[in-house]
Amino acid sequence: MSGGMSFELSEDQQTIRQAVAELCSKFDDEYWMRKDLAHEFPQEFYDAIASGGWLGMTIPEEYGGHGLGITEATLLLEEVARSGAAMNGASAIHLTIFGMQPVVKHGSDELKAATLPRIVNGDLHVCFGVTEPTAGLDTSRITTFAKREGDKYRINGRKVWISKAQESEKILLLTRTTPYDQVTKKTDGMTLFLTDLNRDHVDIRPIKKMGRNAVSSNEVFIDDLVVPVGDRVGEEGKGFKYILDGLNPERMLIAAEALGIGRVALEKAVKYGNERVVFNRPIGMNQGLQFPLADSLARLDAAELVLRKATWLYDNGKPCGREANTAKYLCADAGFGAADRALQLHGGMGYSEEYHVSRYFRESRLMKIAPVSQEMILNFLGEHVLGMPRSY
Ligand SMILES: Cc1cc2nc3c(=O)[nH]c(=O)nc-3n(C[C@H](O)[C@H](O)[C@H](O)COP(=O)(O)OP(=O)(O)OC[C@H]3O[C@@H](n4cnc5c(N)ncnc54)[C@H](O)[C@@H]3O)c2cc1C
C-alpha cells in the first residue's frame, strides 16, 4: 500500500504462518518435553522442516532457496516457538534460516555452490563460533588465531557456548588473522571461515546448562585445524564487518522467538486460569492473576509492533539499528515476563514439567542474555540513538 500505513501481513505471509503452525502441530509439547529431558536433538522436527522446504527460506533461488526476507524468517521462527517448541525448536534451525547470510553476501561462488544447496535440503548442519571465554561480549578481544601457510590456514584457539556444535559438520568461525595489538581499528584483522569441524583437531564438550537442552551448547577446543583458503568467507581481515551486517537480523529473529514463547505461555496461563478452581472459583477471576496476564498481553502486542517495523525497514533496505535493538529488548522482556507469570499462575504445577510452563520459563530467560545481553542493547541505544557518551 503506497503512501499509507499498513499493519496487515500479506497473503503469502499469512500462508507461511498457517503452514508452519500446521507443521509444528505434529510436534506437541510432550515431544519437546521428552527431547529436552533426554538432551536429544529434535531430528524428526528438523527433518520435517527441511522436507517442507523451510530451511531455504532466505537462501537465494539459484541455490535452491526461496530468497525471502527477514519478515518471513521472523514469522517462521515465531510460529515455531509459539507451537511450544520454544527455543529447543528455534535453535535447531535458527542458524540455517538466516545465519548463512555472510556466506550468501560475501562467500565465493565455489563455497556457496558447495554449501548452500545442502543447507536448503537440511543435509548440512552448521554452527556459529564467535564467543570466547576470555573475550565475552567484547568480540574484538577474541584470540582464536588463523595463521596463513601457503594456500591453507592453521587455526588454534578456543570457543565457548557454541550451540549445535555436536550435531554440526561445519562451523562459521570467527578468527583473528592479525593480533589485536597490531591493528589500528580493533575490529579489523578478523577473518571468517565456513569450514569442517574436523574432530581429529577439534574437541567438542557440551556445557551443562539451565534449559534448552534438546540443543547442546559446547566448549570447542581447536588444535592445529588446517583449512583451505577456499573456506574463507570474503576477504581476510573483514570478518567482523561481515558478522556485523547480520547482527540486526539476528536480533529480530531472537525477538520473534521470544515473542512466540510469550504467546504460548500466555495461552497456557489463560487456559489454566479459567479451569483451575480454588476457593470455589476459577483462579483467573482473581485480579491478582488476571491483571498480570492482561499486562503481558499489552507488552507482547507492543513489542510485536516494533518487531514488525524493524523487519519491514530491513527488508526495504532502510536503517533499522534502533528498531532491531528495541525489538530484541522488548520482546525478550515481554516473553520472559509472560512465561514467569504463567509459571506463577500454575502454582506448584508451574514448577513441574507436566504443564510445560517451567520449560518456557527456562528457555525465555535465555534471550535476555544471548546472543546479546539486554545491557548491551541499552548501551547501543544510549550511545548511538540518544547520542550519549559511550559508557564503557
Ligand atoms: C544457551 C546459549 C547458547 C549460545 N550459543 C552461542 C553460539 O551458538 N555461538 C556463539 O558464538 N555464542 C553463543 N552463546 C554465547 C552468547 O552469545 C554470550 O553468552 C553472550 O553474548 C554474552 O557474552 P558472555 O557470556 O561472554 O558475557 P560477558 O561478556 O562475560 O558479560 C557478563 C555480563 O556483564 C554484562 N556486561 C559486560 N560488559 C558490559 C558493559 N560494558 N555494560 C553493561 N553490561 C556489561 C553483560 O551484559 C552480561 O550481563 C550462547 C550462550 C548461551 C547461554
Side-chain angles (χ1 to χ4, degrees), residues 147-192:
K147 187 167 177 282
R148 183 83 186 244
E149 293 178 352
D151 59 356
K152 296 193 166 48
Y153 286 90
R154 182 178 298 271
I155 305 180
N156 280 288
R158 184 175 164 196
K159 297 282 172 184
V160 71
W161 284 116
I162 310 311
S163 295
K164 235 184 109 174
Q166 305 248 354
E167 294 80 14
S168 295
E169 176 187 323
K170 288 185 189 287
I171 183 168
L172 197 56
L173 180 68
L174 191 67
T175 64
R176 269 218 168 268
T177 37
T178 311
Y180 181 87
D181 53 15
Q182 288 173 30
V183 287
T184 31
K185 200 172 159 226
K186 63 185 188 157
T187 49
D188 283 347
M190 285 188 261
T191 300
L192 190 64

Side-chain angles (χ1 to χ4, degrees), residues 127-133 135-138 160-164 209 211-212 217 366 369-376 379 391-392:
C127 59
F128 191 40
V130 173
T131 308
E132 294 189 9
L137 282 155
D138 186 358
V160 71
W161 284 116
I162 310 311
S163 295
K164 235 184 109 174
K209 59 189 190 321
R212 207 212 60 190
S217 289
L366 175 58
I369 301 169
V372 62
S373 65
Q374 300 293 77
E375 292 82 7
M376 292 311 284
N379 276 331
S391 64
Y392 58 101

Side-chain angles (χ1 to χ4, degrees), residues 96-354:
T96 307
I97 299 296
F98 210 84
M100 295 302 280
Q101 290 303 310
V103 180
V104 170
K105 286 200 183 139
H106 308 287
S108 68
D109 290 342
E110 295 77 34
L111 189 63
K112 286 194 273 195
T115 56
L116 297 182
R118 292 186 58 212
I119 288 279
V120 173
N121 70 26
D123 156 59
L124 177 61
H125 287 267
V126 284
C127 59
F128 191 40
V130 173
T131 308
E132 294 189 9
T134 53
L137 282 155
D138 186 358
T139 305
S140 69
R141 293 282 187 174
I142 65 165
T143 54
T144 294
F145 201 82
K147 187 167 177 282
R148 183 83 186 244
E149 293 178 352
D151 59 356
K152 296 193 166 48
Y153 286 90
R154 182 178 298 271
I155 305 180
N156 280 288
R158 184 175 164 196
K159 297 282 172 184
V160 71
W161 284 116
I162 310 311
S163 295
K164 235 184 109 174
Q166 305 248 354
E167 294 80 14
S168 295
E169 176 187 323
K170 288 185 189 287
I171 183 168
L172 197 56
L173 180 68
L174 191 67
T175 64
R176 269 218 168 268
T177 37
T178 311
Y180 181 87
D181 53 15
Q182 288 173 30
V183 287
T184 31
K185 200 172 159 226
K186 63 185 188 157
T187 49
D188 283 347
M190 285 188 261
T191 300
L192 190 64
F193 294 90
L194 177 61
T195 196
D196 286 344
L197 266 175
N198 176 354
R199 268 55 174 185
D200 292 340
H201 294 274
V202 180
D203 191 17
I204 299 170
R205 299 186 202 155
I207 299 168
K208 291 193 180 71
K209 59 189 190 321
M210 165 176 173
R212 207 212 60 190
N213 279 317
V215 179
S216 66
S217 289
N218 304 276
E219 286 186 279
V220 174
F221 300 85
I222 305 170
D223 184 17
D224 274 339
L225 179 70
V226 176
V227 310
V229 169
D231 285 358
R232 196 182 67 209
V233 179
E235 289 176 45
E236 188 174 292
K238 297 210 170 148
F240 187 78
K241 192 177 159 292
Y242 301 154
I243 298 263
L244 210 60
D245 281 350
L247 288 188
N248 284 330
E250 162 133 74
R251 277 157 208 195
M252 298 179 214
L253 288 187
I254 288 289
E257 293 162 11
L259 188 64
I261 303 183
R263 295 284 184 207
V264 66
L266 198 56
E267 277 165 34
K268 290 271 195 302
V270 169
K271 184 165 182 293
Y272 196 78
N274 288 342
E275 285 171 1
R276 170 80 172 158
V277 174
V278 186
F279 295 108
N280 285 325
R281 57 188 194 156
I283 54 173
M285 267 181 83
N286 299 300
Q287 287 187 339
L289 291 181
Q290 194 179 114
F291 278 12
L293 299 193
D295 178 78
S296 274
L297 176 69
R299 288 176 193 279
L300 288 166
D301 283 354
E304 178 176 346
L305 277 184
V306 183
L307 173 61
R308 300 274 180 261
K309 182 175 178 188
T311 66
W312 182 87
L313 287 169
Y314 184 84
D315 283 338
N316 284 282
K318 295 173 194 288
C320 63
R322 173 181 182 167
E323 292 77 9
N325 278 282
T326 303
K328 188 272 172 187
Y329 182 77
L330 294 180
C331 287
D333 199 54
F336 175 70
D340 186 30
R341 288 163 173 182
L343 194 150
Q344 184 68 20
L345 179 139
H346 280 73
M349 282 306 161
Y351 214 69
S352 79
E353 292 293 329
E354 192 183 334

